[in-house]
Amino acid sequence: MSSTLYFGGRILTMVGDKAQYVEAVVEKDGKIAFTGSLCDAKELFPAATEMDLQGRCMMPGHIDPHLHPSMAALILRMHFITPFDWLLPNGKYEGVRSQHDYRQRLSDLISKQPKTAKTKFLITWGYHQDFHGDMSKTVIDDINPAAKTMPIAVWQRSFHEVYLNSFALGHLKYEDKDALMNNPQVEWERGHFYEMGLDALIGTTNFGKDTVFPMMMDGYNDVVQVRNKAATLHALTPICHSLTTLSYTSSGCGMGVIHTLSNRS
């Protein structure tokens, strides 16, 4: 049975209420068999393969138990205008935290759209009223003259609500427009759809079939890239990841973990 002894770094066990560090960890057949002093580890496991961490940090990997891959796939295909910075495989997005800066960023984005944009939605994600002020179809219409000739959707940061501009509302194909307009979770005059109103927008117009679902399918590859980068750089592992197999078995360690090596101190 193979075993590996890790030492030479900051090894955080995450056991108890306060940070506890040990000199060594021994992994044996996919499980943590020992945590403690380097001397004891070498005595108990003399045949273990030794791995010097060279000052790096080792800790249990964080497992994300709440996963929305479809939502992530869709968001990653949108244009980010958010209060906070985002570092993604396709680039860095700097956050904006004022109404003026948000509207300027959206206006600049609209100006960059090709003339063929009349038939394709421009969708942004990350708007939040506490940072970016009021939002409505009128706000979007007035941000840039070109907004009156292309469909635009501003998706709120929580993902539970979206705002459409007047052009979008006027060019959607509806199964039952009156029913959608009278939905209790739709503010038609503001172009605002939230919760079940948003669900109805996606399910009873061509917004879902022609825009949302194709974007979502295209975005699954982006989700895989982000997942892999997060797992590598930040020790974040989705609950569905096939590598969540390592677990502590020594005294006082009863939690499932992924052992993760990081250059971060």
Side-chain angles (χ1 to χ4, degrees), residues 231-261:
T232 301
L233 297 181
H234 307 293
L236 177 65
T237 303
I239 194 67
C240 65
H241 200 288
S242 60
L243 297 179
T244 53
T245 57
L246 216 58
S247 61
Y248 278 118
T249 58
S250 60
S251 176
C253 303
M255 62 182 189
V257 301
I258 287 292
H259 75 276
T260 304
L261 302 182

PDB file of all heavy atoms in Angstrom, residues 231-261:
ATOM      1  N   ALA A 231     -10.454  25.193  -8.990  1.00  0.00           N
ATOM      2  CA  ALA A 231      -9.954  24.043  -8.238  1.00  0.00           C
ATOM      3  C   ALA A 231      -8.440  24.092  -8.115  1.00  0.00           C
ATOM      4  O   ALA A 231      -7.872  23.721  -7.096  1.00  0.00           O
ATOM      5  CB  ALA A 231     -10.382  22.754  -8.929  1.00  0.00           C
ATOM      6  N   THR A 232      -7.756  24.588  -9.163  1.00  0.00           N
ATOM      7  CA  THR A 232      -6.301  24.620  -9.160  1.00  0.00           C
ATOM      8  C   THR A 232      -5.749  25.759  -8.314  1.00  0.00           C
ATOM      9  O   THR A 232      -4.834  25.580  -7.519  1.00  0.00           O
ATOM     10  CB  THR A 232      -5.771  24.777 -10.599  1.00  0.00           C
ATOM     11  OG1 THR A 232      -6.248  23.676 -11.376  1.00  0.00           O
ATOM     12  CG2 THR A 232      -4.254  24.793 -10.622  1.00  0.00           C
ATOM     13  N   LEU A 233      -6.353  26.949  -8.461  1.00  0.00           N
ATOM     14  CA  LEU A 233      -5.784  28.135  -7.819  1.00  0.00           C
ATOM     15  C   LEU A 233      -6.371  28.413  -6.443  1.00  0.00           C
ATOM     16  O   LEU A 233      -5.701  28.965  -5.582  1.00  0.00           O
ATOM     17  CB  LEU A 233      -5.996  29.365  -8.707  1.00  0.00           C
ATOM     18  CG  LEU A 233      -5.306  29.341 -10.069  1.00  0.00           C
ATOM     19  CD1 LEU A 233      -5.598  30.634 -10.807  1.00  0.00           C
ATOM     20  CD2 LEU A 233      -3.808  29.132  -9.911  1.00  0.00           C
ATOM     21  N   HIS A 234      -7.600  28.055  -6.222  1.00  0.00           N
ATOM     22  CA  HIS A 234      -8.276  28.490  -5.010  1.00  0.00           C
ATOM     23  C   HIS A 234      -8.767  27.347  -4.127  1.00  0.00           C
ATOM     24  O   HIS A 234      -9.476  27.580  -3.164  1.00  0.00           O
ATOM     25  CB  HIS A 234      -9.469  29.380  -5.373  1.00  0.00           C
ATOM     26  CG  HIS A 234      -9.101  30.517  -6.274  1.00  0.00           C
ATOM     27  ND1 HIS A 234      -8.288  31.546  -5.858  1.00  0.00           N
ATOM     28  CD2 HIS A 234      -9.405  30.787  -7.566  1.00  0.00           C
ATOM     29  CE1 HIS A 234      -8.117  32.403  -6.854  1.00  0.00           C
ATOM     30  NE2 HIS A 234      -8.779  31.961  -7.896  1.00  0.00           N
ATOM     31  N   ALA A 235      -8.421  26.115  -4.442  1.00  0.00           N
ATOM     32  CA  ALA A 235      -8.816  24.961  -3.645  1.00  0.00           C
ATOM     33  C   ALA A 235     -10.324  24.884  -3.476  1.00  0.00           C
ATOM     34  O   ALA A 235     -10.824  24.523  -2.425  1.00  0.00           O
ATOM     35  CB  ALA A 235      -8.131  24.998  -2.275  1.00  0.00           C
ATOM     36  N   LEU A 236     -11.057  25.245  -4.515  1.00  0.00           N
ATOM     37  CA  LEU A 236     -12.514  25.196  -4.470  1.00  0.00           C
ATOM     38  C   LEU A 236     -12.983  24.055  -5.355  1.00  0.00           C
ATOM     39  O   LEU A 236     -12.705  24.031  -6.540  1.00  0.00           O
ATOM     40  CB  LEU A 236     -13.108  26.514  -4.965  1.00  0.00           C
ATOM     41  CG  LEU A 236     -14.633  26.574  -5.047  1.00  0.00           C
ATOM     42  CD1 LEU A 236     -15.214  26.474  -3.652  1.00  0.00           C
ATOM     43  CD2 LEU A 236     -15.079  27.862  -5.727  1.00  0.00           C
ATOM     44  N   THR A 237     -13.698  23.089  -4.771  1.00  0.00           N
ATOM     45  CA  THR A 237     -14.108  21.901  -5.502  1.00  0.00           C
ATOM     46  C   THR A 237     -15.622  21.783  -5.500  1.00  0.00           C
ATOM     47  O   THR A 237     -16.237  21.725  -4.436  1.00  0.00           O
ATOM     48  CB  THR A 237     -13.511  20.639  -4.838  1.00  0.00           C
ATOM     49  OG1 THR A 237     -12.090  20.776  -4.780  1.00  0.00           O
ATOM     50  CG2 THR A 237     -13.873  19.401  -5.635  1.00  0.00           C
ATOM     51  N   PRO A 238     -16.273  21.750  -6.678  1.00  0.00           N
ATOM     52  CA  PRO A 238     -17.713  21.537  -6.721  1.00  0.00           C
ATOM     53  C   PRO A 238     -18.083  20.181  -6.150  1.00  0.00           C
ATOM     54  O   PRO A 238     -17.325  19.225  -6.262  1.00  0.00           O
ATOM     55  CB  PRO A 238     -18.048  21.608  -8.221  1.00  0.00           C
ATOM     56  CG  PRO A 238     -16.894  22.305  -8.841  1.00  0.00           C
ATOM     57  CD  PRO A 238     -15.706  21.940  -8.010  1.00  0.00           C
ATOM     58  N   ILE A 239     -19.261  20.067  -5.556  1.00  0.00           N
ATOM     59  CA  ILE A 239     -19.689  18.832  -4.941  1.00  0.00           C
ATOM     60  C   ILE A 239     -19.771  17.702  -5.959  1.00  0.00           C
ATOM     61  O   ILE A 239     -19.630  16.530  -5.643  1.00  0.00           O
ATOM     62  CB  ILE A 239     -21.057  19.031  -4.234  1.00  0.00           C
ATOM     63  CG1 ILE A 239     -21.365  17.859  -3.300  1.00  0.00           C
ATOM     64  CG2 ILE A 239     -22.163  19.234  -5.243  1.00  0.00           C
ATOM     65  CD1 ILE A 239     -20.458  17.754  -2.137  1.00  0.00           C
ATOM     66  N   CYS A 240     -19.975  18.048  -7.241  1.00  0.00           N
ATOM     67  CA  CYS A 240     -20.101  17.026  -8.278  1.00  0.00           C
ATOM     68  C   CYS A 240     -18.754  16.565  -8.828  1.00  0.00           C
ATOM     69  O   CYS A 240     -18.696  15.650  -9.626  1.00  0.00           O
ATOM     70  CB  CYS A 240     -20.947  17.566  -9.436  1.00  0.00           C
ATOM     71  SG  CYS A 240     -20.161  18.948 -10.300  1.00  0.00           S
ATOM     72  N   HIS A 241     -17.659  17.187  -8.398  1.00  0.00           N
ATOM     73  CA  HIS A 241     -16.352  16.872  -8.963  1.00  0.00           C
ATOM     74  C   HIS A 241     -15.933  15.456  -8.592  1.00  0.00           C
ATOM     75  O   HIS A 241     -16.068  15.015  -7.464  1.00  0.00           O
ATOM     76  CB  HIS A 241     -15.313  17.876  -8.455  1.00  0.00           C
ATOM     77  CG  HIS A 241     -14.084  17.937  -9.305  1.00  0.00           C
ATOM     78  ND1 HIS A 241     -13.160  16.937  -9.330  1.00  0.00           N
ATOM     79  CD2 HIS A 241     -13.646  18.884 -10.182  1.00  0.00           C
ATOM     80  CE1 HIS A 241     -12.190  17.260 -10.165  1.00  0.00           C
ATOM     81  NE2 HIS A 241     -12.454  18.423 -10.695  1.00  0.00           N
ATOM     82  N   SER A 242     -15.399  14.727  -9.537  1.00  0.00           N
ATOM     83  CA  SER A 242     -15.073  13.319  -9.327  1.00  0.00           C
ATOM     84  C   SER A 242     -13.875  13.102  -8.420  1.00  0.00           C
ATOM     85  O   SER A 242     -13.587  11.974  -8.030  1.00  0.00           O
ATOM     86  CB  SER A 242     -14.778  12.659 -10.679  1.00  0.00           C
ATOM     87  OG  SER A 242     -13.689  13.288 -11.316  1.00  0.00           O
ATOM     88  N   LEU A 243     -13.152  14.172  -8.049  1.00  0.00           N
ATOM     89  CA  LEU A 243     -11.947  14.001  -7.239  1.00  0.00           C
ATOM     90  C   LEU A 243     -12.189  14.159  -5.747  1.00  0.00           C
ATOM     91  O   LEU A 243     -11.261  14.098  -4.964  1.00  0.00           O
ATOM     92  CB  LEU A 243     -10.881  15.015  -7.684  1.00  0.00           C
ATOM     93  CG  LEU A 243     -10.392  14.861  -9.124  1.00  0.00           C
ATOM     94  CD1 LEU A 243      -9.365  15.940  -9.423  1.00  0.00           C
ATOM     95  CD2 LEU A 243      -9.789  13.491  -9.346  1.00  0.00           C
ATOM     96  N   THR A 244     -13.433  14.364  -5.317  1.00  0.00           N
ATOM     97  CA  THR A 244     -13.691  14.579  -3.893  1.00  0.00           C
ATOM     98  C   THR A 244     -13.721  13.242  -3.168  1.00  0.00           C
ATOM     99  O   THR A 244     -14.758  12.754  -2.759  1.00  0.00           O
ATOM    100  CB  THR A 244     -15.031  15.313  -3.684  1.00  0.00           C
ATOM    101  OG1 THR A 244     -16.052  14.600  -4.385  1.00  0.00           O
ATOM    102  CG2 THR A 244     -14.970  16.717  -4.206  1.00  0.00           C
ATOM    103  N   THR A 245     -12.544  12.652  -2.975  1.00  0.00           N
ATOM    104  CA  THR A 245     -12.478  11.311  -2.412  1.00  0.00           C
ATOM    105  C   THR A 245     -11.608  11.206  -1.173  1.00  0.00           C
ATOM    106  O   THR A 245     -11.699  10.238  -0.441  1.00  0.00           O
ATOM    107  CB  THR A 245     -11.936  10.325  -3.460  1.00  0.00           C
ATOM    108  OG1 THR A 245     -10.656  10.770  -3.899  1.00  0.00           O
ATOM    109  CG2 THR A 245     -12.876  10.232  -4.645  1.00  0.00           C
ATOM    110  N   LEU A 246     -10.744  12.151  -0.947  1.00  0.00           N
ATOM    111  CA  LEU A 246      -9.797  12.047   0.154  1.00  0.00           C
ATOM    112  C   LEU A 246     -10.459  12.405   1.480  1.00  0.00           C
ATOM    113  O   LEU A 246     -11.235  13.343   1.550  1.00  0.00           O
ATOM    114  CB  LEU A 246      -8.634  13.005  -0.113  1.00  0.00           C
ATOM    115  CG  LEU A 246      -7.239  12.558   0.323  1.00  0.00           C
ATOM    116  CD1 LEU A 246      -6.880  11.254  -0.351  1.00  0.00           C
ATOM    117  CD2 LEU A 246      -6.234  13.634  -0.019  1.00  0.00           C
ATOM    118  N   SER A 247     -10.138  11.690   2.547  1.00  0.00           N
ATOM    119  CA  SER A 247     -10.762  12.013   3.834  1.00  0.00           C
ATOM    120  C   SER A 247      -9.788  11.762   4.977  1.00  0.00           C
ATOM    121  O   SER A 247      -8.925  10.883   4.907  1.00  0.00           O
ATOM    122  CB  SER A 247     -12.021  11.167   4.053  1.00  0.00           C
ATOM    123  OG  SER A 247     -11.691   9.802   4.063  1.00  0.00           O
ATOM    124  N   TYR A 248      -9.953  12.544   6.050  1.00  0.00           N
ATOM    125  CA  TYR A 248      -9.163  12.325   7.247  1.00  0.00           C
ATOM    126  C   TYR A 248      -9.651  11.069   7.967  1.00  0.00           C
ATOM    127  O   TYR A 248     -10.841  10.828   8.072  1.00  0.00           O
ATOM    128  CB  TYR A 248      -9.318  13.512   8.210  1.00  0.00           C
ATOM    129  CG  TYR A 248      -8.455  14.692   7.900  1.00  0.00           C
ATOM    130  CD1 TYR A 248      -9.023  15.914   7.590  1.00  0.00           C
ATOM    131  CD2 TYR A 248      -7.069  14.602   7.941  1.00  0.00           C
ATOM    132  CE1 TYR A 248      -8.245  17.028   7.319  1.00  0.00           C
ATOM    133  CE2 TYR A 248      -6.285  15.705   7.680  1.00  0.00           C
ATOM    134  CZ  TYR A 248      -6.874  16.917   7.362  1.00  0.00           C
ATOM    135  OH  TYR A 248      -6.097  18.010   7.102  1.00  0.00           O
ATOM    136  N   THR A 249      -8.713  10.289   8.486  1.00  0.00           N
ATOM    137  CA  THR A 249      -9.099   9.112   9.259  1.00  0.00           C
ATOM    138  C   THR A 249      -8.400   9.043  10.606  1.00  0.00           C
ATOM    139  O   THR A 249      -8.721   8.205  11.426  1.00  0.00           O
ATOM    140  CB  THR A 249      -8.777   7.822   8.493  1.00  0.00           C
ATOM    141  OG1 THR A 249      -7.384   7.786   8.190  1.00  0.00           O
ATOM    142  CG2 THR A 249      -9.592   7.721   7.219  1.00  0.00           C
ATOM    143  N   SER A 250      -7.420   9.910  10.840  1.00  0.00           N
ATOM    144  CA  SER A 250      -6.704   9.862  12.102  1.00  0.00           C
ATOM    145  C   SER A 250      -7.549  10.465  13.218  1.00  0.00           C
ATOM    146  O   SER A 250      -8.578  11.072  12.999  1.00  0.00           O
ATOM    147  CB  SER A 250      -5.379  10.620  11.986  1.00  0.00           C
ATOM    148  OG  SER A 250      -5.604  11.973  11.653  1.00  0.00           O
ATOM    149  N   SER A 251      -7.124  10.263  14.423  1.00  0.00           N
ATOM    150  CA  SER A 251      -7.880  10.690  15.598  1.00  0.00           C
ATOM    151  C   SER A 251      -8.216  12.170  15.543  1.00  0.00           C
ATOM    152  O   SER A 251      -7.359  13.009  15.292  1.00  0.00           O
ATOM    153  CB  SER A 251      -7.065  10.404  16.857  1.00  0.00           C
ATOM    154  OG  SER A 251      -7.729  10.898  17.998  1.00  0.00           O
ATOM    155  N   GLY A 252      -9.488  12.481  15.742  1.00  0.00           N
ATOM    156  CA  GLY A 252      -9.921  13.863  15.771  1.00  0.00           C
ATOM    157  C   GLY A 252     -10.160  14.465  14.413  1.00  0.00           C
ATOM    158  O   GLY A 252     -10.449  15.649  14.308  1.00  0.00           O
ATOM    159  N   CYS A 253     -10.033  13.673  13.319  1.00  0.00           N
ATOM    160  CA  CYS A 253     -10.218  14.199  11.969  1.00  0.00           C
ATOM    161  C   CYS A 253     -11.249  13.347  11.252  1.00  0.00           C
ATOM    162  O   CYS A 253     -10.933  12.264  10.777  1.00  0.00           O
ATOM    163  CB  CYS A 253      -8.904  14.199  11.195  1.00  0.00           C
ATOM    164  SG  CYS A 253      -7.591  15.124  12.008  1.00  0.00           S
ATOM    165  N   GLY A 254     -12.470  13.830  11.171  1.00  0.00           N
ATOM    166  CA  GLY A 254     -13.511  13.017  10.582  1.00  0.00           C
ATOM    167  C   GLY A 254     -14.179  13.631   9.374  1.00  0.00           C
ATOM    168  O   GLY A 254     -15.277  13.226   9.012  1.00  0.00           O
ATOM    169  N   MET A 255     -13.557  14.598   8.721  1.00  0.00           N
ATOM    170  CA  MET A 255     -14.248  15.279   7.630  1.00  0.00           C
ATOM    171  C   MET A 255     -13.653  14.906   6.287  1.00  0.00           C
ATOM    172  O   MET A 255     -12.465  14.612   6.161  1.00  0.00           O
ATOM    173  CB  MET A 255     -14.162  16.795   7.810  1.00  0.00           C
ATOM    174  CG  MET A 255     -12.763  17.365   7.794  1.00  0.00           C
ATOM    175  SD  MET A 255     -12.761  19.130   8.062  1.00  0.00           S
ATOM    176  CE  MET A 255     -11.054  19.514   7.728  1.00  0.00           C
ATOM    177  N   GLY A 256     -14.488  14.898   5.256  1.00  0.00           N
ATOM    178  CA  GLY A 256     -14.027  14.640   3.902  1.00  0.00           C
ATOM    179  C   GLY A 256     -13.300  15.845   3.352  1.00  0.00           C
ATOM    180  O   GLY A 256     -13.753  16.973   3.537  1.00  0.00           O
ATOM    181  N   VAL A 257     -12.168  15.636   2.680  1.00  0.00           N
ATOM    182  CA  VAL A 257     -11.379  16.770   2.167  1.00  0.00           C
ATOM    183  C   VAL A 257     -10.753  16.410   0.832  1.00  0.00           C
ATOM    184  O   VAL A 257     -10.710  15.262   0.426  1.00  0.00           O
ATOM    185  CB  VAL A 257     -10.234  17.162   3.125  1.00  0.00           C
ATOM    186  CG1 VAL A 257     -10.754  17.548   4.483  1.00  0.00           C
ATOM    187  CG2 VAL A 257      -9.235  16.030   3.253  1.00  0.00           C
ATOM    188  N   ILE A 258     -10.265  17.404   0.168  1.00  0.00           N
ATOM    189  CA  ILE A 258      -9.315  17.262  -0.932  1.00  0.00           C
ATOM    190  C   ILE A 258      -8.012  17.886  -0.458  1.00  0.00           C
ATOM    191  O   ILE A 258      -8.021  19.002   0.033  1.00  0.00           O
ATOM    192  CB  ILE A 258      -9.794  18.009  -2.178  1.00  0.00           C
ATOM    193  CG1 ILE A 258     -10.962  17.261  -2.812  1.00  0.00           C
ATOM    194  CG2 ILE A 258      -8.681  18.138  -3.213  1.00  0.00           C
ATOM    195  CD1 ILE A 258     -10.555  15.932  -3.400  1.00  0.00           C
ATOM    196  N   HIS A 259      -6.891  17.184  -0.589  1.00  0.00           N
ATOM    197  CA  HIS A 259      -5.650  17.847  -0.222  1.00  0.00           C
ATOM    198  C   HIS A 259      -5.221  18.718  -1.385  1.00  0.00           C
ATOM    199  O   HIS A 259      -5.256  18.305  -2.533  1.00  0.00           O
ATOM    200  CB  HIS A 259      -4.570  16.833   0.153  1.00  0.00           C
ATOM    201  CG  HIS A 259      -3.952  16.109  -0.991  1.00  0.00           C
ATOM    202  ND1 HIS A 259      -4.526  14.988  -1.535  1.00  0.00           N
ATOM    203  CD2 HIS A 259      -2.810  16.343  -1.693  1.00  0.00           C
ATOM    204  CE1 HIS A 259      -3.772  14.533  -2.530  1.00  0.00           C
ATOM    205  NE2 HIS A 259      -2.733  15.355  -2.648  1.00  0.00           N
ATOM    206  N   THR A 260      -4.864  19.938  -1.084  1.00  0.00           N
ATOM    207  CA  THR A 260      -4.564  20.919  -2.119  1.00  0.00           C
ATOM    208  C   THR A 260      -3.255  21.615  -1.828  1.00  0.00           C
ATOM    209  O   THR A 260      -3.050  22.111  -0.728  1.00  0.00           O
ATOM    210  CB  THR A 260      -5.692  21.963  -2.194  1.00  0.00           C
ATOM    211  OG1 THR A 260      -6.919  21.305  -2.411  1.00  0.00           O
ATOM    212  CG2 THR A 260      -5.430  22.959  -3.310  1.00  0.00           C
ATOM    213  N   LEU A 261      -2.390  21.674  -2.822  1.00  0.00           N
ATOM    214  CA  LEU A 261      -1.147  22.395  -2.692  1.00  0.00           C
ATOM    215  C   LEU A 261      -1.317  23.758  -3.315  1.00  0.00           C
ATOM    216  O   LEU A 261      -1.823  23.870  -4.420  1.00  0.00           O
ATOM    217  CB  LEU A 261      -0.011  21.658  -3.386  1.00  0.00           C
ATOM    218  CG  LEU A 261       0.238  20.225  -2.867  1.00  0.00           C
ATOM    219  CD1 LEU A 261       1.437  19.642  -3.611  1.00  0.00           C
ATOM    220  CD2 LEU A 261       0.502  20.233  -1.380  1.00  0.00           C
TER     221      LEU A 261
END
